[in-house]
Amino acid sequence: MIETFKNAWKIDDLRKKMLYTLMIILIFRIGSAIPAPFLDPTKLGAMIAEQSANGGLFGFIDVLSGGAFSRSTLFALNISPYITASIVIQLMAVVIPYLENLAKEGAEGRRQLNKITRYTAVGLALLEGYGYMKLLKHAGALKYSAGAEGIFAQFVIVSCFVGGAMFVIWLGERIDEKGIGNGISMLLFAGIVSRLPSVVATMYNYLKLATKGGQYSIYFITVPVIVVLFVVVVGFIIVMTEAERRIPIMYAKRVVGRKMYGGQSTYIPIKVNMSGVMPVIFASSLLAIPGMIAGFVAPKPGGFWDGFLRLFRYNSFTYAVVYLLLILAFNYFYISIQYNPIEIANGLKSNNGTIPGIRPGRPTSDFIAKIVSKITFIGGIFLGVIAILPIAISSITKINVALGGTTVIILVGVALDTVRQLESKMMMRHYKGFLE
C-alpha cells in the first residue's frame, strides 16, 4: 500500500489529484470543528457519551462524523443523510419501475439517480436537522428556547445543519471529479480516522491505571491483547474482503463472417463480502432505536419498559444474538436486490457461454443461486463476527472499544478501494498500447 502511494506521488497528474483530495479533507475537518450558533454543546456531550458507551444510535453517528455530532458543529450531520438517501433509492429501485429503468440506462441513468438521491438527501437532512435540534433543546443546549428569539435560533440551527450536510456532499463530489475518487467514502474515512488519537489516549490512560496495581493491574494484559486482536481483525477483514468464489465459464466457438469468436475460458467472480458494510449499518441503526427511545423518554427504573429496553443495551447477550440475526437477514436481502442469477444465466446463454457440467437456462441459474446463497451465508457470518467481537471484548475486559467492527470494516474497505483506484490509474498511464 505504501509503495503504491509512493509510485502514485511520482506521477504529476496523480500527485495533483492526491493534493486536491487532501485539501478537501482539510476543509472537511475545519468545518467539523466550527460550532453552530446559539448552542452550548457541552450539555449534549454527556448524553451522547453515555449513548456511545451503550451502543446508541447517536454514539454510532458521532463515531462516523469524527466527533462533529457531539460537538454540534456545522458538519454535525456529516454524510448520514446522503447514506440514508442512497439506501432508500437503492431499495426503491427494486419496486419502482421508473427507478429500475434508470439504473439500467448507463451513465445518463446513473446521473439522474444521483440527482434524485441528492434531493432525497435534502429532505432527510431537514428531518434529521430538526430532530437533532429537538434533541439539543431537550438537553438544554439551546441558548434561546422561547419567544421570537427562540424560533429564530432554531431556524438558524436547522439551516446550518442542513447547509453543512449539503456542503459535505458537494465536497465528496469534488473528490470524485477532481480528486482520486470515492469521495463520500473518503470523507467518512477521514472522520473515523480523526478518532484514532482519542482511542490511543484511552488505551494509554488504561495503562496508567494499571501502574496503580490492585484491580487495575489486569490492564497490563488486556490492553496489549486488544491491540493484537485489532491487528488480527484488520488482517482478517483484508483477507475476507479480497476473497472470492470463481465460477468457471466456457464460451463456444462461433464463426461470424470470416472471423471466429469464442472458444476461451473465463470465470464469474463472486465476492465473499459482496454487500460491504451495509448490513451492519442497517442492523446497528435498527437496534439503536431502543437506546434512542430510552434517551428521550427516560423510563421509570425497575419498570417493564426499563427492563425491556435494557435487553437491547450494547453489552447484553440479547443484543449480540439479535444483532447477528439481523446482519444475516440484511445481508441476504441486500445481495438479493443486487445479484440476479436469472439475468446472469440469460446473459451467458445469449453469448454461448456455459458452466462446465451444467446445462444452460434454468439449471445454470439454480446453480449460480445455490453458490450465491452459500457465499452470502459465509459473508454474513464474517460480518456478524466482526461486528460482535468488540461487544464481547467490552463485556470481558470492561474496556469500551471506541472503534467497533463496523468502523474497522469501513476503514479497511475504503483503504483497499483507494489503493485499487490508484493502481488502475497508474496502469492506464503506463500502458504502452499496440502502436508502440
Side-chain angles (χ1 to χ4, degrees):
M1 182 182 294
I2 297 177
E3 190 67 25
T4 300
F5 280 99
K6 287 173 61 178
N7 294 333
W9 186 262
K10 297 176 183 178
I11 302 174
D12 183 63
D13 186 27
L14 290 182
R15 183 167 61 250
K16 290 180 180 179
K17 289 181 179 292
M18 293 170 68
L19 290 174
Y20 185 84
T21 302
L22 290 175
M23 182 189 70
I24 294 295
I25 292 176
L26 178 62
I27 295 173
F28 169 70
R29 291 308 304 160
I30 291 174
S32 299
I34 300 176
F38 306 118
L39 289 176
D40 182 11
T42 56
K43 296 182 179 180
L44 185 68
M47 177 187 295
I48 294 183
E50 181 182 357
Q51 285 232 353
S52 181
N54 295 326
L57 177 62
F58 297 138
F60 179 69
I61 295 176
D62 188 49
V63 171
L64 296 183
S65 66
F69 189 77
S70 60
R71 295 194 300 268
S72 303
T73 64
L74 295 179
F75 293 167
L77 298 183
N78 204 285
I79 59 173
S80 61
Y82 185 82
I83 292 177
T84 307
S86 300
I87 295 171
V88 170
I89 295 302
Q90 287 183 23
L91 296 177
M92 295 300 290
V94 181
V95 296
I96 299 179
Y98 174 71
L99 297 179
E100 185 178 3
N101 293 332
L102 285 179
K104 297 178 180 179
E105 289 180 0
E108 182 61 30
R110 287 194 297 270
R111 192 177 298 112
Q112 292 296 325
L113 277 178
N114 289 336
K115 185 182 295 186
I116 295 173
T117 302
R118 285 195 291 269
Y119 287 142
T120 307
V122 173
L124 291 173
L126 285 170
L127 292 176
E128 292 184 16
Y130 180 77
Y132 186 31
M133 184 273 298
K134 286 295 184 181
L135 174 67
L136 292 166
K137 186 177 180 180
H138 177 73
L142 267 68
K143 294 182 180 179
Y144 303 99
S145 58
E149 290 182 342
I151 295 175
F152 176 75
Q154 294 176 22
F155 175 78
V156 171
I157 292 170
V158 174
S159 300
C160 287
F161 289 155
V162 174
M166 294 304 102
F167 186 67
V168 170
I169 296 174
W170 182 82
L171 291 177
E173 292 176 348
R174 298 286 70 76
I175 294 178
D176 290 334
E177 183 179 346
K178 299 182 180 180
I180 60 178
N182 213 11
I184 297 297
S185 298
M186 287 293 295
L187 296 181
L188 190 62
F189 179 89
I192 296 174
V193 168
S194 66
R195 304 276 293 186
L196 288 178
S198 64
V199 174
V200 174
T202 301
M203 293 294 106
Y204 177 72
N205 290 333
Y206 280 122
L207 287 177
K208 285 178 64 177
L209 288 175
T211 59
K212 297 180 179 180
Q215 62 176 332
Y216 300 115
S217 60
I218 191 65
Y219 289 153
F220 269 128
I221 300 175
T222 55
V223 172
V225 168
I226 290 175
V227 174
V228 172
L229 279 176
F230 176 78
V231 175
V232 172
V233 167
V234 170
F236 180 59
I237 292 174
I238 293 174
V239 171
M240 295 300 290
T241 302
E242 297 294 319
E244 61 184 20
R245 168 71 158 85
R246 297 179 176 180
I247 302 177
I249 302 295
M250 291 291 296
Y251 286 97
K253 293 181 180 180
R254 57 194 177 97
V255 179
V256 180
R258 294 184 178 181
K259 295 182 179 180
M260 180 176 292
Y261 296 91
Q264 74 271 21
S265 61
T266 182
Y267 60 86
I268 300 176
I270 300 178
K271 289 283 188 181
V272 173
N273 185 22
M274 287 185 289
S275 57
V277 74
M278 300 310 298
V280 182
I281 294 178
F282 286 172
S284 58
S285 299
L286 188 61
L287 276 180
I289 293 176
M292 182 176 63
I293 294 174
F296 277 119
V297 178
K300 182 179 179 181
F304 170 78
W305 290 111
D306 180 62
F308 177 76
L309 294 174
R310 283 182 178 275
L311 292 175
F312 296 95
R313 293 179 70 90
Y314 181 76
N315 54 359
S316 68
F317 178 76
T318 306
Y319 182 97
V321 173
V322 177
Y323 197 17
L324 177 60
L325 294 177
L326 285 176
I327 289 174
L328 287 171
F330 281 125
N331 192 44
Y332 272 100
F333 173 74
Y334 196 78
I335 290 176
S336 67
I337 65 176
Q338 287 198 331
Y339 213 95
N340 192 339
I342 297 177
E343 290 185 0
I344 296 174
N346 292 335
L348 290 175
K349 186 177 180 180
S350 62
N351 290 284
N352 294 325
T354 59
I355 300 174
I358 305 297
R359 295 179 60 186
R362 179 68 178 271
T364 298
S365 64
D366 292 342
F367 178 78
I368 295 175
K370 184 178 180 181
I371 291 180
V372 170
S373 178
K374 292 180 180 179
I375 296 299
T376 301
F377 179 75
I378 295 174
I381 293 295
F382 154 68
L383 291 173
V385 169
I386 296 299
I388 292 175
L389 185 61
I391 302 175
I393 293 175
S394 299
S395 300
I396 295 173
T397 63
K398 306 303 179 182
I399 296 178
N400 181 28
V401 182
L403 290 179
T406 307
T407 53
V408 176
I409 294 175
I410 294 174
L411 289 177
V412 175
V414 174
L416 291 176
D417 286 342
T418 303
V419 170
R420 278 194 291 265
Q421 289 191 15
L422 288 175
E423 289 177 346
S424 64
K425 293 178 185 297
M426 286 189 292
M427 186 178 296
M428 291 172 58
R429 284 161 177 77
H430 288 101
Y431 182 66
K432 294 182 179 180
F434 69 94
L435 291 177
E436 297 185 15

